[in-house]
Amino acid sequence: MTREPRDAPQFYLTAPSPCPYLPGREERKVFTHLIGRRAGALNDTLSQSGFRRSQTIAYRPACEMCRACVSVRVKVDEFAPGQSFRRVLAANTDLIGTLIPNRPTSEQYSLFRAYLDARHGEGGMADMSILDYATMIEDSHVDTRLIEYRRRGPDTAITGQGTGDLIAVCLTDILADGLSMVYSFYDPEIVNRSLGTFMILDHIAQARSLALSHLYLGYWVAGSRKMDYKARFLPQERLGLNGWERVERSRPGSA
């Protein structure tokens, strides 16, 4: 009798639910659990196959009549910021991102709460408590870190850390071939820094410094305004029926 190993992943399919990106459509997801000693290696393999992580779950879209969600990853070594990205970098030269263990703090939650209330007050995360936030940050069996962004201080050149108020945070997985931005948030009252764009640019630099070849941005959806920004980071690869396909320039409907 053939028996599967006890730690072999089991995959499940969700019931249909309203699509958060394209009105009038439904979505389904296939998912598995990322637990145990093989979680890290499994997360690497699944990420390269278009899956995303949420706590101890790896998932990807499995919609019957739609293939709009496209997994996107930036080619780190080949990325060169254009004029608009250079302006964003120049506006944030006084900030520094520090890689720290994935441990939640009340300061992070206060920033997270302000971000949700201002940007996603009616979203699925709107009612998250501080315990929910702690679970999102800590509940991981893979190599997960936080990057906290603060202003540079007089000792930053020595310590590599910023000082003062917390301005932005990103929950980030370190994969075998890249970084994966799991979730990011920032001070919603700061409107002149393009902090979301800056964090992506900084993650590209962080991946390069770690000799990693990709930055995984999650799903890009043509026709979804909230996803348009991901198409701007070129060159990138998008996962299609024939595997990862290189994209040199934005296609119609992107950015």
Side-chain angles (χ1 to χ4, degrees):
M1 178 183 298
T2 301
R3 301 177 62 182
E4 294 186 16
R6 294 181 65 182
D7 58 353
Q10 302 294 309
F11 291 88
Y12 308 91
L13 188 65
T14 65
S17 61
C19 176
Y21 306 119
L22 300 176
R25 300 194 189 185
E26 291 187 329
E27 69 167 357
R28 301 187 76 177
K29 294 184 177 74
V30 60
F31 70 94
T32 190
H33 297 280
L34 292 171
I35 56 176
R37 61 183 178 85
R38 295 184 63 235
L42 180 60
N43 191 41
D44 287 339
T45 299
L46 292 179
S47 295
Q48 294 167 10
S49 300
F51 280 73
R52 294 287 288 167
R53 184 183 72 84
S54 176
Q55 297 173 210
T56 59
I57 297 293
Y59 68 91
R60 67 170 295 172
C63 307
E64 294 180 4
M65 303 300 293
C66 180
R67 296 292 183 270
C69 291
V70 179
S71 186
V72 170
R73 64 187 188 186
V74 181
K75 298 284 289 181
V76 166
D77 290 339
E78 300 177 53
F79 176 82
Q83 185 176 8
S84 64
F85 286 152
R86 290 196 297 271
R87 285 197 294 267
V88 172
L89 290 170
N92 292 282
T93 53
D94 61 330
L95 300 186
I96 185 169
T98 304
L99 199 68
I100 64 172
N102 57 318
R103 296 172 185 161
T105 66
S106 57
E107 184 184 27
Q108 293 166 15
Y109 180 71
S110 294
L111 183 63
F112 174 74
R113 189 71 263 163
Y115 174 78
L116 286 185
D117 291 344
R119 297 298 182 94
H120 304 285
E122 298 181 356
M125 303 173 72
D127 296 328
M128 286 181 65
S129 68
I130 191 169
L131 293 178
D132 295 327
Y133 173 78
T135 299
M136 180 180 77
I137 298 301
E138 292 182 314
D139 197 6
S140 171
H141 289 236
V142 305
D143 191 356
T144 301
R145 310 290 176 88
L146 287 170
I147 299 183
E148 289 189 341
Y149 293 87
R150 303 178 191 269
R151 287 182 171 85
R152 296 178 183 271
D155 298 326
T156 295
I158 299 173
T159 65
Q161 298 182 352
T163 187
D165 293 339
L166 186 62
I167 291 177
V169 178
C170 188
L171 182 65
T172 303
D173 286 349
I174 302 179
L175 308 176
D177 69 335
L179 297 180
S180 176
M181 298 179 71
V182 177
Y183 190 80
S184 62
F185 53 95
Y186 51 86
D187 188 337
E189 295 186 0
I190 300 177
V191 297
N192 59 346
R193 287 181 177 267
S194 299
L195 288 171
T197 297
F198 170 68
M199 280 192 282
I200 294 176
L201 294 171
D202 183 69
H203 272 70
I204 291 173
Q206 298 260 8
R208 187 178 290 135
S209 71
L210 295 171
L212 299 172
S213 56
H214 299 102
L215 174 63
Y216 288 80
L217 295 181
Y219 300 115
W220 169 72
V221 180
S224 173
R225 292 183 61 185
K226 67 175 67 175
M227 292 292 188
D228 277 350
Y229 70 93
K230 297 182 182 182
R232 299 174 57 209
F233 296 87
L234 302 170
Q236 63 181 226
E237 293 177 330
R238 299 176 186 172
L239 187 59
L241 296 177
N242 298 316
W244 290 98
E245 300 175 348
R246 183 183 178 90
V247 176
E248 299 279 355
R249 64 182 64 183
S250 296
R251 296 171 180 171
S254 58

